[in-house]
Amino acid sequence: MTTIKIRNIGPIKEVPEITLNRVNVFMGPQSSGKSTIAKIISYCTWLEKEMATSHLAKEYALTTRFKDELESFHKIKGYFRADSYIRYQSDVVEIIWSGDRCYPELINRLAYQRSKIAYIPSERNMVILPEARRVELGSTNVRSFLFDWFTAREKCTDLPILDLGVNYRYVEAKEEDHIQGGEGDSAYDILLSNASSGLQSLTPLLVMIEYLTKWVYEDESLSFEQKRRRQDTIMALVEDFFLKKKRDQSSAILSSQEDMRLFFGELIKEKDPDMMKLLKDFSQHHAYLFKTNNSQFIIEEPEMNLFPETQRDLVFHLLNKCLEREGNRLTITTHSPYILYALNNCMMAGLVYDKMDEESKSRLKCGTSKISPSDVSIYEIQEGVVKRIQKEDGLIQDNYFDQQMGKLMDDFHLMLNYYP
């Protein structure tokens, strides 16, 4: 279980402690703080991974590094104030930002399962630019997405774009992104940069999701970076062991790694029970620590430039693809009621599908994307305060959509009195 609490950062006044679910949705108007919450979740999840696979907890303790990196990478410079507060806690770590200092604590390194953390920003359509490789972006979430895109597009050629009748294809020889559609005399092949704004926004999102739900797990070999992290983790476990072992000779042999290695060799030879347990635990959790086990998707405004029906189909696709692997998590920011309508239908299907007759099931568009409402948390931001907008059964409150539609129709109803 992972929880997060936020106070007084940017437009956010308070996010009361919430438990991150399999699906998390943050809805609100422009500049309400949706992306601020998503960025903090993304960064804390990344730092959890770094702490579990390295010595980084020490480097962040009682410094401003946490704030500095979060502000820079996620482009929220100036959002922190003197009374800003963050608390992120999981079975692995506790990370607190308070009083202009960070207080990180590693709880249980071996409880961690390595995640690919994918922040998919609203600027994702910039990848269509031919000069994207040459753009100087600094160390930001857009740059990170762009680098992942260069890998993903080589793997995901001939990818159907939902049910729109078009496919994405990467032409490696020319380093070009293409959209293909039609049949026979009506067939066409155009650059993605010449496609509609909806396809320019949707295609990078779908390509990245395909890569992160399939290809990112295909390579079983450890990269150089992962091998280095494995060595760091082994050394961190060794140091933890020394702190817990409390032997008289340990203080003398900590002077060098070679002495430490010899000391552990003796413990293994003696079959020291504590040492043998450490080795067994590490062996059992090795794959969890150094091979990607799941993906954490954080998606800004998936609805950008999309027709309502396409938004609906995209929600179905996200639920099917992003949650197909155990441990995956999907976090969305949105201001589209159509995203919520579609998600609400999927939750309703999770409640009633087994009770429906076969003819009704065959007509149900969301039947293959049903989800238990207990796996979904939906929040609205009002004047900087986050509140949940679901009923006890998990469905969105009955009057929520009516309230939003009522606001849109106020002018119409006012003028209707004067319509002949």
Side-chain angles (χ1 to χ4, degrees):
M1 183 178 75
T2 300
T3 64
I4 192 162
K5 182 176 183 178
I6 305 170
R7 285 200 309 264
N8 300 324
I9 297 181
I12 295 298
K13 295 179 182 177
E14 183 178 13
V15 179
E17 185 172 79
I18 60 175
T19 299
L20 296 181
N21 214 334
R22 291 185 72 201
V23 178
N24 307 277
V25 180
F26 296 95
M27 184 177 185
Q30 282 80 13
S31 302
S32 60
K34 305 182 300 295
S35 293
T36 301
I37 297 171
K39 290 171 178 177
I40 292 172
I41 291 172
S42 176
Y43 179 75
C44 288
T45 306
W46 171 83
L47 185 53
E48 175 182 21
K49 177 165 75 171
E50 297 298 291
M51 289 172 61
T53 58
S54 73
H55 293 68
L56 276 187
K58 300 175 183 177
E59 299 180 19
Y60 284 79
L62 301 176
T63 72
T64 62
R65 182 172 173 176
F66 175 91
K67 175 177 74 74
D68 297 340
E69 287 186 350
L70 175 53
E71 285 184 326
S72 174
F73 186 80
H74 283 297
K75 300 176 294 181
I76 56 171
K77 188 76 172 176
Y79 280 41
F80 278 76
R81 301 190 287 273
D83 59 351
S84 294
Y85 178 87
I86 297 171
R87 181 175 181 269
Y88 174 94
Q89 184 169 23
S90 69
D91 295 334
V92 181
V93 299
E94 180 184 57
I95 302 167
I96 295 176
W97 173 266
S98 179
D100 206 33
R101 290 291 182 270
C102 183
Y103 303 89
E105 180 183 354
L106 183 61
I107 299 172
N108 183 4
R109 189 188 306 273
L110 295 178
Y112 184 67
Q113 294 192 20
R114 189 180 185 88
S115 297
K116 172 62 178 177
I117 300 151
Y119 194 92
I120 303 180
S122 57
E123 302 97 325
R124 56 186 170 271
N125 58 354
M126 63 87 63
V127 303
I128 69 171
L129 300 174
E131 60 272 18
R133 282 184 179 271
R134 299 188 293 273
V135 176
E136 292 293 333
L137 296 168
S139 181
T140 65
N141 58 38
V142 177
R143 180 178 182 270
S144 178
F145 177 79
L146 183 62
F147 276 44
D148 280 343
W149 163 259
F150 292 144
T151 301
R153 67 178 184 171
E154 295 179 2
K155 298 285 189 179
C156 302
T157 190
D158 293 325
L159 179 70
I161 304 302
L162 299 181
D163 293 326
L164 298 179
V166 299
N167 281 25
Y168 165 79
R169 184 169 71 91
Y170 174 59
V171 181
E172 185 175 3
K174 298 181 178 180
E175 292 190 344
E176 290 179 345
D177 305 300
H178 285 237
I179 292 293
Q180 298 175 319
E183 296 179 353
D185 294 338
S186 300
Y188 61 89
D189 185 330
I190 62 174
L191 290 172
L192 176 58
S193 58
N194 293 335
S196 69
S197 61
L199 284 175
Q200 290 178 7
S201 172
L202 181 60
T203 301
L205 172 58
L206 294 183
V207 169
M208 192 62 68
I209 287 171
E210 182 70 13
Y211 171 68
L212 293 171
T213 55
K214 180 182 179 182
W215 295 104
V216 77
Y217 305 107
E218 293 292 315
D219 185 6
E220 291 298 319
S221 62
L222 290 180
S223 67
F224 174 81
E225 172 68 15
Q226 288 171 323
K227 289 178 181 178
R228 185 184 66 80
R229 287 301 180 88
R230 179 174 61 182
Q231 293 174 348
D232 287 347
T233 302
I234 292 172
M235 290 307 302
L237 287 168
V238 166
E239 290 184 5
D240 292 345
F241 180 84
F242 270 109
L243 291 175
K244 295 174 182 176
K245 193 61 181 171
K246 294 190 182 304
R247 289 195 171 191
D248 293 339
Q249 65 265 45
S250 65
S251 60
I253 58 102
L254 276 174
S255 57
S256 73
Q257 288 193 7
E258 177 62 19
D259 287 338
M260 189 182 295
R261 185 184 66 80
L262 291 173
F263 177 67
F264 271 91
E266 293 177 4
L267 291 179
I268 293 173
K269 188 183 297 183
E270 297 171 3
K271 293 188 177 181
D272 178 88
D274 293 333
M275 184 64 197
M276 301 311 292
K277 182 178 186 305
L278 175 70
L279 294 175
K280 180 181 178 182
D281 288 346
F282 180 76
S283 176
Q284 289 177 338
H285 290 84
H286 176 273
Y288 291 125
L289 284 167
F290 302 108
K291 296 292 184 70
T292 301
N293 288 271
N294 55 66
S295 295
Q296 309 294 305
F297 300 91
I298 303 98
I299 305 174
E300 282 190 319
E301 300 177 20
E303 71 272 8
M304 280 199 315
N305 304 327
L306 299 182
F307 187 69
E309 186 176 355
T310 307
Q311 293 184 41
R312 177 202 68 190
D313 293 344
L314 177 58
V315 169
F316 298 164
H317 183 79
L318 292 176
L319 293 180
N320 287 333
K321 294 291 289 186
C322 294
L323 301 181
E324 65 184 1
R325 194 177 185 93
E326 185 69 26
N328 282 13
R329 188 168 68 208
L330 173 63
T331 299
I332 292 173
T333 70
T334 183
H335 38 61
S336 169
Y338 302 109
I339 295 289
L340 294 192
Y341 275 121
L343 184 54
N344 207 45
N345 285 350
C346 293
M347 291 191 292
M348 176 66 86
L351 293 175
V352 305
Y353 188 81
D354 292 340
K355 303 174 185 177
M356 298 174 66
D357 59 66
E358 294 304 316
E359 194 275 334
S360 296
K361 287 181 180 178
S362 68
R363 292 163 45 203
L364 193 64
K365 294 181 175 62
C366 64
T368 58
S369 307
K370 58 185 180 294
I371 186 170
S372 170
S374 63
D375 289 333
V376 181
S377 296
I378 305 175
Y379 303 95
E380 184 186 27
I381 305 172
Q382 291 185 353
E383 298 181 355
V385 178
V386 170
K387 70 170 186 176
R388 197 164 180 263
I389 59 171
Q390 292 161 274
K391 300 182 295 182
E392 290 184 4
D393 59 8
L395 298 178
I396 297 172
Q397 294 177 11
D398 294 337
N399 63 352
Y400 179 79
F401 294 119
D402 291 340
Q403 289 173 357
Q404 304 308 309
M405 185 59 69
K407 294 176 183 177
L408 292 175
M409 295 298 293
D410 282 347
D411 279 357
F412 183 82
H413 289 146
L414 177 62
M415 294 183 289
L416 193 60
N417 296 323
Y418 300 93
Y419 187 73

